[in-house]
Amino acid sequence: MTNLTGKVAIITGASRGIGRVTAEQLAGLGAKVVINYSSSPEQAGEAVRGIIAAGGEAAAIRADISKVSEVEQLFSETLALFGRIDILVNNAGLMITKPLLEITEADYEKQFSVNVKGTLFATQQAMKHMEQGGRIVNFSTSVNGQMFPAYSIYSATKGAVEQLTRQLAKEFGPKGITINAVAPGPVNTELFNAGKTEQQIEGMKKMNAMGRLGEPEDIANVIEFLVSESAQWVTGQTLRVNGGFI
């Protein structure tokens, strides 16, 4: 079993969904966990209380990762609380799905500010503060291997994240820090299910080899591997975690 005792992990957008399950899982393996949130303090607090009740250590820190000053504050507060940073999971993300003719400049700015700018500048802070042998996990999407109407702007942001992941691997290499991305397929979360009909969801289930939606635990298990010592020779990669979706 992975042992993360003594490690400190920041998970952005971790008050719910995949981020929350990841935070709970890493805390269960011994890591001290920072649950970052932007607009859901109740859910973040609930997640922290659950981790502490299970014997772990956690804290919730508010920061809008689309704002560089708040990203910097997230890292400085983490260092003040726990004294070090070993793991960064850039989970926070935003999905706007619209046909091309309906996309506005505001949609573009909002989507790229969270998914690309937020990931980039959180990773920059990791470069400044992360311990030798640290681990960074970014989030892409398996949708990039498909051609879905209305997903163009969302997929563009995730394509950018995949390239950041690959291009930054050598910059982190001298410190023994790995940087990888996971690319989930459809996952049974509030974000994915919002606005979809039962028929649409059933159709998504049939697109993979397993005939079901992924669960947050399916993604968290792969993140656990990527932040472990067993993954020290894996960097600059995007792992598609999707049950054969693509």
Side-chain angles (χ1 to χ4, degrees):
M1 181 180 288
T2 302
N3 185 350
L4 299 178
T5 301
K7 304 289 187 181
V8 175
I10 297 174
I11 300 97
T12 65
S15 62
R16 57 186 176 176
I18 296 170
R20 179 166 176 170
V21 171
T22 299
E24 293 167 345
Q25 192 156 321
L26 298 190
L29 296 169
K32 299 173 184 178
V33 172
V34 169
I35 292 177
N36 160 250
Y37 70 96
S38 176
S39 59
S40 50
E42 296 85 3
Q43 290 174 306
E46 181 183 83
V48 168
R49 289 190 294 274
I51 288 171
I52 292 173
E57 284 191 67
I61 298 178
R62 188 203 168 279
D64 179 347
I65 66 159
S66 71
K67 299 176 181 177
V68 175
S69 62
E70 295 191 23
V71 172
E72 292 171 346
Q73 187 66 25
L74 169 63
F75 277 76
S76 64
E77 288 187 30
T78 299
L79 289 169
L81 279 171
F82 296 127
R84 59 187 289 140
I85 297 166
D86 304 275
I87 296 165
L88 169 64
V89 181
N90 282 310
N91 166 77
L94 178 68
M95 180 188 292
I96 297 172
T97 55
K98 289 183 177 181
L100 177 61
L101 293 179
E102 296 179 15
I103 295 171
T104 66
E105 184 177 5
D107 292 331
Y108 176 92
E109 296 290 350
K110 189 173 183 180
Q111 185 91 86
F112 272 83
S113 289
V114 174
N115 293 2
V116 183
K117 181 183 175 184
T119 295
L120 173 65
F121 285 99
T123 303
Q124 184 185 69
Q125 287 299 304
M127 175 70 79
K128 293 178 181 179
H129 302 296
M130 186 168 278
E131 299 289 333
Q132 184 82 19
R135 299 285 185 265
I136 300 169
V137 181
N138 296 329
F139 266 73
S140 181
T141 175
S142 288
V143 169
N144 282 4
Q146 299 279 5
M147 291 179 286
F148 284 159
Y151 278 77
S152 59
I153 189 169
Y154 174 70
S155 293
T157 66
K158 295 305 186 178
V161 168
E162 289 192 20
Q163 285 304 312
L164 285 174
T165 300
R166 179 169 175 77
Q167 301 304 326
L168 289 173
K170 281 198 173 182
E171 292 194 44
F172 281 100
K175 291 183 71 174
I177 296 172
T178 66
I179 177 169
N180 294 287
V182 292
V187 178
N188 185 25
T189 64
E190 181 181 338
L191 176 66
F192 172 78
N193 290 324
K196 293 184 176 67
T197 66
E198 188 62 34
Q199 184 178 11
Q200 288 173 317
I201 292 172
E202 288 301 314
M204 289 286 192
K205 290 179 182 179
K206 294 174 182 177
M207 291 183 71
N208 66 54
M210 305 300 180
R212 66 172 176 86
L213 294 181
E215 294 295 335
E217 291 79 5
D218 294 320
I219 314 306
N221 288 338
V222 175
I223 294 171
E224 176 187 330
F225 164 69
L226 290 173
V227 303
S228 74
E229 288 301 310
S230 297
Q232 63 182 324
W233 197 235
V234 182
T235 194
Q237 306 302 310
T238 296
L239 278 68
R240 306 208 181 282
V241 189
N242 57 32
F245 176 78
I246 183 68

